[in-house]
Amino acid sequence: MATTLITEIQQAQTRLPLLSRADRGALVVRILRELKTHRREVFANVPAERCVWIDRLIASVSSTISEIINMQDAEFNRVLNEFENLIATLDGISHAENPSKTIH
């Protein structure tokens, strides 16, 4: 799922000026959903005090969705770059934690 989301982010970046606010919102919600999934599944057995960073990120994104989707294209593109890198990193962590999932 993370690979699909990363592809969606990359595609959105290539057509950024054509994205509607609804398209931007849907993408940010998908990213947020992926972050929540990683928090719930990958970090399920990690003590809560070690997950404050992702909990804060989820809360911050949740509370600022409208501001994020209304950003100028260049700023929104930078945010998408950071989310892409984060999702790729979290995906790498999840595969390292669960090697059986990496078998295709």
Side-chain angles (χ1 to χ4, degrees), residues 13-98:
Q13 289 174 305
T14 63
R15 54 187 179 85
L16 196 55
L18 305 174
L19 289 181
S20 68
R21 296 290 181 240
D23 293 335
R24 287 178 175 216
L27 181 57
V28 172
V29 168
R30 286 250 307 112
I31 291 167
L32 185 58
R33 200 173 305 135
E34 184 72 14
L35 292 174
K36 288 178 180 180
T37 297
H38 275 282
R39 172 61 176 101
R40 186 177 58 251
E41 294 176 5
V42 178
F43 299 114
N45 296 323
V46 176
E49 64 272 6
R50 295 191 60 207
C51 295
V52 172
W53 66 273
I54 195 166
D55 292 336
R56 284 186 180 162
L57 178 62
I58 290 168
S60 177
V61 172
S62 295
S63 66
T64 60
I65 289 176
S66 62
E67 289 93 343
I68 294 170
I69 64 174
N70 287 313
M71 290 176 170
Q72 296 293 320
D73 288 350
E75 190 176 7
F76 188 68
N77 189 50
R78 283 191 296 275
V79 169
L80 290 180
N81 278 332
E82 294 302 323
F83 279 134
E84 179 185 351
N85 291 334
L86 178 59
I87 297 295
T89 300
L90 292 173
D91 191 49
I93 291 169
S94 69
H95 287 303
E97 294 285 321
N98 302 303

